[in-house]
Amino acid sequence: MEALASGVPGTKLSGFSRQRVEHRGCHRAEALISNAIRASREQPNTYLRSSQLSYNASAKSVHLVKSYMHVPVKERKLTGKTFYSSKACTFDEDIGEISSNNAQEKVGVLLLNLGGPDTLEDVQPFLFNLFADPDIIRLPRLFRFLQRPLAQLISVARAPKSKEGYAAIGGGSPLRRITDEQAHALKLALEKKNLHANVYVGMRYWHPFTEEAIQQIKKDNVTKLVILPLYPQFSISTSGSSIRVLQRIFREDAYFEGLPVSIIESWYQREGYVKSMADLIEKELSSFLKPEEVMIFFSAHGVPVSYVENAGDPYRDQMEECISLIMDELKSRGINNSHTLAYQSRVGPVQWLKPYTDEVLVDLGQKGVKSLLAVPVSFVSEHIETLEEIDMEYKHLALESGIENWGRVPALGCTSSFISDLADAVLEALPSASAVSKAKRNSSEDDMDPLQSIIKLFFGSILASVLLLSPKLLSLFRNNLL
Ligand SMILES: C=CC1=C(C)c2cc3[nH]c(cc4nc(cc5[nH]c(cc1n2)c(C)c5CCC(=O)O)C(CCC(=O)O)=C4C)c(C)c3C=C
Ligand SMILES: [Fe+2]
């Protein structure tokens, strides 16, 4: 192996990711290096840290290893685990022919998603799974043993309200069907691009569970795996939670420990995604009588403020960056509508990201906005929060508040430009697949001595009883706020 070029200095940065691009034939070696340098300069917030190009004479291939860093849009003090703040960066350069899989290689793509109840009977157990997730209800370590009893309590209390919502959209979530369709479309798109891969679906809170998909991947003897969460932006509560489940499984299974894996943590910044969103918005705007007067209303799923401000969740930064990329794309097409971003679907009594969608709608109506186009932006399938919350609740509220013309952009679903871009993301991620090293256990609780555990349990139980029987909590149940 002969090194051809290396080294580009970086600047003050806060995390880095590595991408390996394989290119057949060495005639474009110099061009690739200069492209990489140019691309790193053109990528906002991204800097090429180093690059190394080597030529393998026997394989007749050139390897370009690019290490580059990402600086978050706004510097925030991250007190949480830095694991959550990194993201896989990709260049939109033409990397030439990507090697299609050889005979022994079995590529798998695992799509991660939230999952939803198939029937009304599934609603309460689905909610239990959701609230039992420590990435959804983040209890202090001392109270972790309360996670499941609390999940039981909250899921039973919330089920009637959730059931009404699912009943209004046909008696269950469409998420499983749509995600299966996306998986099928992605498999076809990959085949078109010369990659034969099995595409699996792993849901976090309902069937088919991530654990089921993982068993199938092992059965199929997959030799390289790309993990693709179907959330454009990363949040601790969505992609982070699913990746945490995978990390636990991988740690405990020798097969997965040795399996080359590549995780695409977020992809809201991909040109294909941004353009596909802009296409949908442009099309929907044209259905208004006076398209130029329509306000584009991005409605993102909220998360509690504490995720962003205390736990280092990059979600809000990524969401803001995503909106500005979509608006830039629209501007480049001569579409200069006004726009705004608000957060929907808050649950429970804590503070969530603001401004809240319902409050902004009322405000805009009062200020005299007459035409509004709602754009769901955290998720790429139709689901309860688009079909019920936006199309029914928010539409009703908007019309009541003085907005006269209402429209809603559909979710991307199986839009071909979008699926084709996801396929490109998979192809670009494949070369960097590497075995997941055995993560160090960092839970001091696992190593706690038995006496310490008993003391914690004792005081924890007293506090828990006080908490659970507190008038505030009981009134929340009565008022159906949970
Ligand atoms: C209680 C905390 C919740 C956080 C944090 C949260 C983050 C979050 N969720 C999505 C996407 C979806 N959530 C969906 C349903 C749903 N989510 C919560 C709670 C939190 N979500 C609940 C209680 C429910 C159930 C429905 C309800 O009772 O309101 C779904 C819908 C699935 C479906 O069945 O159609 C999606 C999708 C994102 C993107 C996100 C953080 C960024
Ligand atoms: Fe949610």
Side-chain angles (χ1 to χ4, degrees):
M1 190 89 73
E2 179 193 346
L4 296 178
S6 72
V8 174
T11 43
K12 190 182 141 248
L13 300 159
S14 65
F16 79 91
S17 59
R18 163 175 286 215
Q19 187 189 38
R20 188 165 170 258
V21 178
E22 225 173 80
H23 186 77
R24 298 230 161 260
C26 73
H27 57 284
R28 280 189 60 214
E30 293 299 334
L32 269 174
I33 279 288
S34 54
N35 273 355
I37 295 165
R38 180 181 44 75
S40 75
R41 287 197 189 116
E42 285 169 3
Q43 287 260 320
N45 313 312
T46 305
Y47 298 81
L48 193 68
R49 186 169 170 262
S50 69
S51 62
Q52 188 163 44
L53 193 65
S54 53
Y55 175 56
N56 182 330
S58 56
K60 287 199 179 118
S61 67
V62 170
H63 301 282
L64 173 62
V65 179
K66 294 189 280 194
S67 290
Y68 51 101
M69 300 179 163
H70 177 79
V71 188
V73 184
K74 286 177 198 148
E75 286 287 357
R76 287 184 200 279
K77 200 170 154 231
L78 301 180
T79 50
K81 297 164 194 132
T82 49
F83 164 72
Y84 291 123
S85 65
S86 68
K87 73 179 177 187
C89 304
T90 50
F91 292 154
D92 286 322
E93 68 181 305
D94 174 13
I95 57 167
E97 183 195 328
I98 295 175
S99 53
S100 54
N101 27 348
N102 61 39
Q104 299 90 353
E105 194 168 84
K106 250 191 156 182
V107 174
V109 179
L110 173 57
L111 299 181
L112 299 176
N113 213 339
L114 189 119
D118 297 314
T119 66
L120 293 184
E121 286 82 68
D122 299 337
V123 171
Q124 188 273 324
F126 158 76
L127 290 174
F128 172 82
N129 292 339
L130 189 135
F131 291 120
D133 177 358
D135 285 315
I136 286 282
I137 293 199
R138 297 169 55 80
L139 294 175
R141 199 173 282 264
L142 184 65
F143 297 112
R144 287 276 163 82
F145 70 97
L146 280 177
Q147 190 88 43
R148 292 174 71 83
L150 208 54
Q152 183 64 23
L153 212 66
I154 301 174
S155 61
V156 169
R158 188 171 173 88
K161 189 173 178 231
S162 288
K163 273 187 188 176
E164 270 179 36
Y166 284 109
I169 63 165
S173 171
L175 215 53
R176 183 177 191 165
R177 174 184 53 79
I178 298 172
T179 313
D180 282 345
E181 286 166 9
Q182 288 170 324
H184 183 65
L186 179 61
K187 186 177 168 58
L188 297 183
L190 285 168
E191 268 162 24
K192 262 193 183 167
K193 294 172 196 273
N194 278 332
L195 185 85
H196 299 277
N198 285 351
V199 183
Y200 304 86
V201 171
M203 302 291 199
R204 180 67 182 88
Y205 306 118
W206 204 247
H207 300 282
F209 288 110
T210 312
E211 291 82 347
E212 297 171 42
I214 282 294
Q215 284 318 313
Q216 194 57 48
I217 286 167
K218 191 173 171 180
K219 243 193 210 161
D220 291 347
N221 220 352
V222 162
T223 59
K224 238 182 198 188
L225 184 64
V226 175
I227 295 171
L228 176 57
L230 282 179
Y231 309 94
Q233 308 83 10
F234 182 94
S235 167
I236 293 171
S237 57
T238 53
S239 311
S241 168
S242 285
I243 292 169
R244 197 137 73 126
V245 168
L246 290 173
Q247 281 182 323
R248 179 175 48 74
I249 298 171
F250 285 13
R251 254 202 319 256
E252 290 161 3
D253 191 313
Y255 165 79
F256 286 105
E257 238 190 289
L259 180 68
V261 172
S262 184
I263 304 176
I264 303 170
E265 282 188 11
S266 61
W267 38 270
Y268 66 91
Q269 71 285 37
R270 292 186 64 81
E271 207 181 309
Y273 164 74
V274 170
K275 286 194 162 150
S276 305
M277 285 298 289
D279 289 345
L280 292 184
I281 294 171
E282 190 176 359
K283 179 163 180 255
E284 220 55 47
L285 278 176
S286 68
S287 67
F288 284 82
L289 227 55
K290 292 182 179 162
E292 63 291 344
E293 288 178 9
V294 177
M295 174 175 272
I296 302 172
F297 186 94
F298 291 98
S299 189
H301 197 298
V303 296
V305 171
S306 62
Y307 286 34
V308 172
E309 291 184 353
N310 306 329
D313 196 333
Y315 179 72
R316 179 170 61 189
D317 282 344
Q318 294 194 358
M319 186 55 72
E320 288 172 4
E321 198 186 343
C322 174
I323 304 309
S324 88
L325 289 170
I326 296 172
M327 288 312 298
D328 285 350
E329 174 61 26
L330 287 170
K331 276 190 193 103
S332 76
R333 302 177 186 190
I335 298 167
N336 293 302
N337 293 54
S338 59
H339 77 282
T340 192
L341 164 66
Y343 293 92
Q344 66 176 85
S345 318
R346 61 187 189 277
V347 182
V350 297
Q351 277 238 19
W352 284 54
L353 290 184
K354 282 185 175 169
Y356 298 145
T357 295
D358 48 358
E359 293 178 0
V360 177
L361 286 175
V362 174
D363 198 40
L364 291 175
Q366 283 169 356
K367 281 184 179 145
V369 172
K370 291 290 170 228
S371 303
L372 207 113
L373 177 61
V375 186
V377 73
S378 326
F379 209 62
V380 292
S381 317
E382 297 297 345
H383 61 290
I384 189 168
E385 283 147 5
T386 53
L387 300 169
E388 197 271 335
E389 203 172 3
I390 298 185
D391 289 354
M392 298 178 193
E393 287 181 43
Y394 292 148
K395 180 179 176 183
H396 182 74
L397 184 64
L399 297 180
E400 224 180 35
S401 307
I403 288 157
E404 290 168 4
N405 309 303
W406 169 271
R408 205 262 288 176
V409 163
L412 282 164
C414 287
T415 304
S416 59
S417 57
F418 162 61
I419 296 290
S420 169
D421 187 55
L422 284 186
D424 288 340
V426 169
L427 292 171
E428 289 162 27
L430 255 186
S432 65
S434 60
V436 184
S437 62
K438 210 169 183 165
K440 249 179 103 183
R441 280 170 158 251
N442 62 355
S443 165
S444 57
E445 227 155 58
D446 293 341
D447 310 324
M448 202 190 292
D449 78 59
L451 183 65
Q452 237 182 330
S453 306
I454 291 167
I455 293 171
K456 275 198 166 185
L457 205 69
F458 177 71
F459 286 110
S461 309
I462 294 175
L463 272 165
S465 324
V466 173
L467 196 76
L468 289 180
L469 296 173
S470 80
K472 193 176 172 196
L473 208 73
L474 288 174
S475 84
L476 282 175
F477 281 120
R478 264 197 299 273
N479 297 330
N480 207 13
L481 285 173
L482 277 171

mmCIF file of all heavy atoms in Angstrom, residues 49-65:
data_model
loop_
_atom_site.group_PDB
_atom_site.id
_atom_site.type_symbol
_atom_site.label_atom_id
_atom_site.label_comp_id
_atom_site.label_asym_id
_atom_site.label_seq_id
_atom_site.Cartn_x
_atom_site.Cartn_y
_atom_site.Cartn_z
ATOM 1 N N ARG A 49 -10.160 17.434 8.579
ATOM 2 C CA ARG A 49 -9.112 17.380 9.582
ATOM 3 C C ARG A 49 -7.856 16.799 8.944
ATOM 4 O O ARG A 49 -6.766 17.283 9.088
ATOM 5 C CB ARG A 49 -9.594 16.502 10.739
ATOM 6 C CG ARG A 49 -8.699 16.446 11.917
ATOM 7 C CD ARG A 49 -9.489 15.757 13.029
ATOM 8 N NE ARG A 49 -8.635 15.449 14.130
ATOM 9 C CZ ARG A 49 -8.107 14.264 14.322
ATOM 10 N NH1 ARG A 49 -8.336 13.291 13.465
ATOM 11 N NH2 ARG A 49 -7.348 14.042 15.367
ATOM 12 N N SER A 50 -8.042 15.709 8.219
ATOM 13 C CA SER A 50 -6.915 15.143 7.496
ATOM 14 C C SER A 50 -7.458 14.251 6.403
ATOM 15 O O SER A 50 -8.599 13.816 6.450
ATOM 16 C CB SER A 50 -6.038 14.310 8.440
ATOM 17 O OG SER A 50 -6.743 13.158 8.819
ATOM 18 N N SER A 51 -6.653 14.018 5.400
ATOM 19 C CA SER A 51 -7.094 13.053 4.395
ATOM 20 C C SER A 51 -5.878 12.236 3.993
ATOM 21 O O SER A 51 -4.750 12.718 4.015
ATOM 22 C CB SER A 51 -7.680 13.769 3.182
ATOM 23 O OG SER A 51 -6.700 14.571 2.591
ATOM 24 N N GLN A 52 -6.111 10.986 3.665
ATOM 25 C CA GLN A 52 -5.009 10.147 3.260
ATOM 26 C C GLN A 52 -5.458 9.284 2.098
ATOM 27 O O GLN A 52 -6.505 8.641 2.151
ATOM 28 C CB GLN A 52 -4.570 9.269 4.421
ATOM 29 C CG GLN A 52 -3.291 8.521 4.073
ATOM 30 C CD GLN A 52 -2.619 7.991 5.307
ATOM 31 O OE1 GLN A 52 -3.287 7.447 6.159
ATOM 32 N NE2 GLN A 52 -1.322 8.147 5.380
ATOM 33 N N LEU A 53 -4.696 9.336 1.044
ATOM 34 C CA LEU A 53 -5.054 8.572 -0.132
ATOM 35 C C LEU A 53 -4.000 7.489 -0.313
ATOM 36 O O LEU A 53 -2.807 7.740 -0.257
ATOM 37 C CB LEU A 53 -5.054 9.510 -1.339
ATOM 38 C CG LEU A 53 -5.691 8.978 -2.601
ATOM 39 C CD1 LEU A 53 -7.178 8.757 -2.398
ATOM 40 C CD2 LEU A 53 -5.474 9.971 -3.726
ATOM 41 N N SER A 54 -4.461 6.265 -0.500
ATOM 42 C CA SER A 54 -3.461 5.221 -0.725
ATOM 43 C C SER A 54 -3.884 4.340 -1.887
ATOM 44 O O SER A 54 -5.073 4.179 -2.160
ATOM 45 C CB SER A 54 -3.267 4.407 0.550
ATOM 46 O OG SER A 54 -4.505 3.949 0.995
ATOM 47 N N TYR A 55 -2.884 3.763 -2.542
ATOM 48 C CA TYR A 55 -3.141 2.953 -3.727
ATOM 49 C C TYR A 55 -2.755 1.517 -3.435
ATOM 50 O O TYR A 55 -1.637 1.223 -3.020
ATOM 51 C CB TYR A 55 -2.328 3.503 -4.895
ATOM 52 C CG TYR A 55 -2.440 2.649 -6.146
ATOM 53 C CD1 TYR A 55 -3.694 2.367 -6.688
ATOM 54 C CD2 TYR A 55 -1.301 2.149 -6.772
ATOM 55 C CE1 TYR A 55 -3.803 1.600 -7.829
ATOM 56 C CE2 TYR A 55 -1.403 1.381 -7.914
ATOM 57 C CZ TYR A 55 -2.650 1.099 -8.448
ATOM 58 O OH TYR A 55 -2.762 0.346 -9.561
ATOM 59 N N ASN A 56 -3.727 0.624 -3.613
ATOM 60 C CA ASN A 56 -3.444 -0.785 -3.401
ATOM 61 C C ASN A 56 -3.261 -1.422 -4.784
ATOM 62 O O ASN A 56 -4.223 -1.597 -5.525
ATOM 63 C CB ASN A 56 -4.633 -1.409 -2.642
ATOM 64 C CG ASN A 56 -4.392 -2.869 -2.335
ATOM 65 O OD1 ASN A 56 -3.687 -3.562 -3.078
ATOM 66 N ND2 ASN A 56 -4.977 -3.323 -1.246
ATOM 67 N N ALA A 57 -1.997 -1.730 -5.101
ATOM 68 C CA ALA A 57 -1.667 -2.180 -6.458
ATOM 69 C C ALA A 57 -2.350 -3.512 -6.794
ATOM 70 O O ALA A 57 -2.896 -3.681 -7.878
ATOM 71 C CB ALA A 57 -0.160 -2.303 -6.603
ATOM 72 N N SER A 58 -2.353 -4.463 -5.827
ATOM 73 C CA SER A 58 -2.915 -5.771 -6.153
ATOM 74 C C SER A 58 -4.433 -5.697 -6.350
ATOM 75 O O SER A 58 -4.997 -6.319 -7.233
ATOM 76 C CB SER A 58 -2.553 -6.784 -5.069
ATOM 77 O OG SER A 58 -2.993 -6.284 -3.828
ATOM 78 N N ALA A 59 -5.107 -4.862 -5.508
ATOM 79 C CA ALA A 59 -6.560 -4.746 -5.654
ATOM 80 C C ALA A 59 -6.941 -3.711 -6.714
ATOM 81 O O ALA A 59 -8.115 -3.570 -7.047
ATOM 82 C CB ALA A 59 -7.180 -4.342 -4.325
ATOM 83 N N LYS A 60 -5.945 -3.017 -7.225
ATOM 84 C CA LYS A 60 -6.162 -1.934 -8.197
ATOM 85 C C LYS A 60 -7.232 -0.969 -7.687
ATOM 86 O O LYS A 60 -8.205 -0.632 -8.367
ATOM 87 C CB LYS A 60 -6.587 -2.503 -9.552
ATOM 88 C CG LYS A 60 -5.458 -3.167 -10.298
ATOM 89 C CD LYS A 60 -5.809 -3.273 -11.763
ATOM 90 C CE LYS A 60 -4.668 -3.911 -12.525
ATOM 91 N NZ LYS A 60 -4.998 -5.148 -13.156
ATOM 92 N N SER A 61 -7.089 -0.553 -6.423
ATOM 93 C CA SER A 61 -8.080 0.378 -5.907
ATOM 94 C C SER A 61 -7.408 1.511 -5.148
ATOM 95 O O SER A 61 -6.286 1.365 -4.656
ATOM 96 C CB SER A 61 -9.068 -0.344 -4.989
ATOM 97 O OG SER A 61 -8.411 -0.779 -3.836
ATOM 98 N N VAL A 62 -8.109 2.627 -5.098
ATOM 99 C CA VAL A 62 -7.619 3.776 -4.351
ATOM 100 C C VAL A 62 -8.523 3.974 -3.148
ATOM 101 O O VAL A 62 -9.734 3.891 -3.254
ATOM 102 C CB VAL A 62 -7.674 5.047 -5.237
ATOM 103 C CG1 VAL A 62 -7.394 6.288 -4.403
ATOM 104 C CG2 VAL A 62 -6.681 4.918 -6.356
ATOM 105 N N HIS A 63 -7.928 4.192 -1.986
ATOM 106 C CA HIS A 63 -8.729 4.452 -0.783
ATOM 107 C C HIS A 63 -8.476 5.873 -0.346
ATOM 108 O O HIS A 63 -7.332 6.268 -0.140
ATOM 109 C CB HIS A 63 -8.323 3.516 0.360
ATOM 110 C CG HIS A 63 -8.477 2.078 -0.001
ATOM 111 N ND1 HIS A 63 -9.699 1.459 0.004
ATOM 112 C CD2 HIS A 63 -7.566 1.166 -0.411
ATOM 113 C CE1 HIS A 63 -9.529 0.197 -0.372
ATOM 114 N NE2 HIS A 63 -8.248 0.009 -0.634
ATOM 115 N N LEU A 64 -9.538 6.611 -0.193
ATOM 116 C CA LEU A 64 -9.403 7.951 0.348
ATOM 117 C C LEU A 64 -10.025 7.947 1.733
ATOM 118 O O LEU A 64 -11.212 7.673 1.890
ATOM 119 C CB LEU A 64 -10.131 8.964 -0.546
ATOM 120 C CG LEU A 64 -10.199 10.396 -0.005
ATOM 121 C CD1 LEU A 64 -8.812 10.985 0.154
ATOM 122 C CD2 LEU A 64 -11.036 11.257 -0.926
ATOM 123 N N VAL A 65 -9.191 8.192 2.732
ATOM 124 C CA VAL A 65 -9.701 8.220 4.096
ATOM 125 C C VAL A 65 -9.791 9.676 4.511
ATOM 126 O O VAL A 65 -8.798 10.375 4.560
ATOM 127 C CB VAL A 65 -8.778 7.439 5.056
ATOM 128 C CG1 VAL A 65 -9.327 7.516 6.482
ATOM 129 C CG2 VAL A 65 -8.676 6.006 4.605
#
